Amino acid sequence: MERIDWGAPWLGAVRDLGVRVQREVFEGKPVAEALNVLSTVSFRFVPQSDLPEGTAYEQYIWDTRRVPTRDNLHDFFNGLVWLQFPRTKRRLNQLQAQAIAADGVQAVRGPLRDAVTVFDENGALLQAPDALWDALRSRDWQRLFIDLRPLWAEARLVLFGHALLEKLVAPRKPMVAHVFHAPIAMNSIADVDGWLADQVDASAWSTKPFTPLPVLGVPGWWPANQAPGFYDDAQVFRPLRAAPVP
């Protein structure tokens, strides 16, 4: 936890709260207790040991409004996202619990649970002009990051996935967010949370309505992306796949 750089742009949505929770941890509190100290929501964080053996994690959260939490970075960031995006996290949890109630816990997740997990772990919201979105969807990286670079001043990328936040503590070029299209008009995180919770629809999300975005390519997010040729790496900035021939 000492390695977290709170000045990093990808931590913008959780920075203020994260610094305060981190301080509680450094004073000796377990992560669950530290999160509860700063919590203003109606659910609680509990030690992982409170999760009964044989009970699905998502089902337990839905039934009890308690979030089992380990003392590690992964659950630290998960807790911060729960506190900053409570409505969306509760909605995602509802879909997970409903799918478990209907189908049980299986070796392979169904399409809905898979989509929810992808966004929960690695999701982000991009508020950006249409030109940037058009370039992103077509994987036109040259246009997206070089030709339209000044337009990024009008965009905002808000990271949601706690696994992605954890991985970015040690940033590497290939790290990718699964991005959902959000309107530019929203300013506060509370507004974003309310809007996103209303967008989480079981039928629509089963198709994974997300677009991959290598986050360290975002202008201003990593000094290395100013270097010539940074975006020429096809292993990271992959072209759009051709549609299969009928």
Side-chain angles (χ1 to χ4, degrees), residues 36-57:
N36 286 331
V37 168
L38 278 301
S39 176
T40 59
V41 293
S42 60
F43 48 82
R44 301 285 291 173
F45 299 92
V46 297
Q48 180 72 19
S49 57
D50 281 17
L51 178 64
E53 186 176 353
T55 300
Y57 169 83

Side-chain angles (χ1 to χ4, degrees), residues 79-190:
L80 294 182
V81 177
W82 267 102
L83 293 180
Q84 290 293 76
F85 299 90
R87 288 186 57 190
T88 301
K89 288 287 278 189
R90 185 66 173 164
R91 176 60 176 150
L92 295 175
N93 177 231
Q94 179 184 25
L95 293 183
Q96 291 272 24
Q98 288 174 347
I100 290 171
D103 305 321
V105 178
Q106 302 181 13
V108 178
R109 297 186 184 98
L112 177 59
R113 287 196 66 207
D114 186 44
V116 168
T117 300
V118 164
F119 192 79
D120 193 38
E121 297 280 347
N122 287 288
L125 290 160
L126 178 60
Q127 299 168 273
D130 290 343
L132 290 181
W133 264 106
D134 291 343
L136 175 59
R137 289 193 175 107
S138 63
R139 314 291 198 275
D140 188 344
W141 306 114
Q142 170 76 29
R143 178 167 170 76
L144 177 66
F145 289 126
I146 298 178
D147 299 347
L148 298 177
R149 200 172 187 87
L151 206 54
W152 279 93
E154 302 175 27
R156 179 170 70 157
L157 181 64
V158 179
L159 297 198
F160 181 93
H162 57 280
L164 180 59
L165 290 168
E166 177 195 12
K167 288 184 287 188
L168 281 165
V169 171
R172 294 186 303 108
K173 187 176 181 179
M175 293 178 179
V176 172
H178 295 267
V179 177
F180 192 64
H181 191 175
I184 291 179
M186 299 177 297
N187 292 315
S188 73
I189 293 299

